Amino acid sequence: MSPGADHVVMGSEPVQEVSIFVKGLQGKVRAAAEATAREAKAARTLQELDASLRGPAASRLAVEALAAGGDVSIYVRPGPSRGNLVVHINGQGPEEGRTAAFGKAGLNDDLQEVVGVTVDHAAKGANRAPPTRLGVTGAADLSKELVE
């Protein structure tokens, strides 16, 4: 038996319960995260869970986060017992004093292909003030070949 073979997971593995925690998201981004969460909670196998976290609702979540000038991360970890999984959907921005740049591709509300790039910076606050976030976002609608 090869190392790690006892940790092999099959897509057909049944899922008993999916616990989901959404943190750091607001407005349309939170609504998109909750739609993704509903799909994930309906999964009955690991393959279905994976598909739901990569499917249309998750793509919509990524596009909404990009439009809001942020990003999201989705982490899946084992729960307290076999068949139980915990999913964390978290909002992300750069750490104080750092710059983050990222790009996303997906579909907008009209199901047109969109590519976007965002640069986000969190400037250090003076005298213990919270950081000031500065962001620039550009998007190209590939179906119309227009740049916003």
Side-chain angles (χ1 to χ4, degrees):
M1 187 181 281
S2 63
D6 58 334
H7 297 289
V8 173
V9 178
M10 302 299 289
S12 60
E13 180 78 23
V15 172
Q16 304 292 325
E17 182 181 359
V18 178
S19 300
I20 301 190
F21 300 92
V22 177
K23 180 179 171 188
L25 301 172
Q26 300 173 7
K28 288 183 178 182
V29 182
R30 184 169 188 88
E34 290 170 351
T36 302
R38 280 190 298 278
E39 281 193 19
K41 281 182 116 5
R44 293 294 157 233
T45 65
L46 288 177
Q47 187 173 11
E48 288 178 14
L49 178 63
D50 181 64
S52 71
L53 295 175
R54 296 177 191 264
S59 293
R60 205 166 14 266
L61 169 59
V63 170
E64 288 294 345
L66 179 63
D71 197 8
V72 294
S73 62
I74 300 176
Y75 297 103
V76 180
R77 64 176 176 82
S81 61
R82 186 175 183 92
N84 291 327
L85 295 161
V86 178
V87 177
H88 293 270
I89 303 175
N90 300 322
Q92 289 185 280
E95 295 176 21
E96 183 176 347
R98 303 246 175 152
T99 300
F102 52 90
K104 295 278 184 175
L107 300 176
N108 65 13
D109 291 340
D110 298 326
L111 300 178
Q112 298 167 332
E113 295 178 350
V114 177
V115 174
V117 176
T118 296
V119 177
D120 199 5
H121 179 75
K124 290 184 179 181
N127 298 325
R128 298 185 194 186
T132 301
R133 289 190 62 185
L134 308 167
V136 177
T137 300
D141 181 341
L142 299 179
S143 63
K144 295 181 182 177
E145 298 181 23
L146 296 175
V147 176
E148 295 180 346

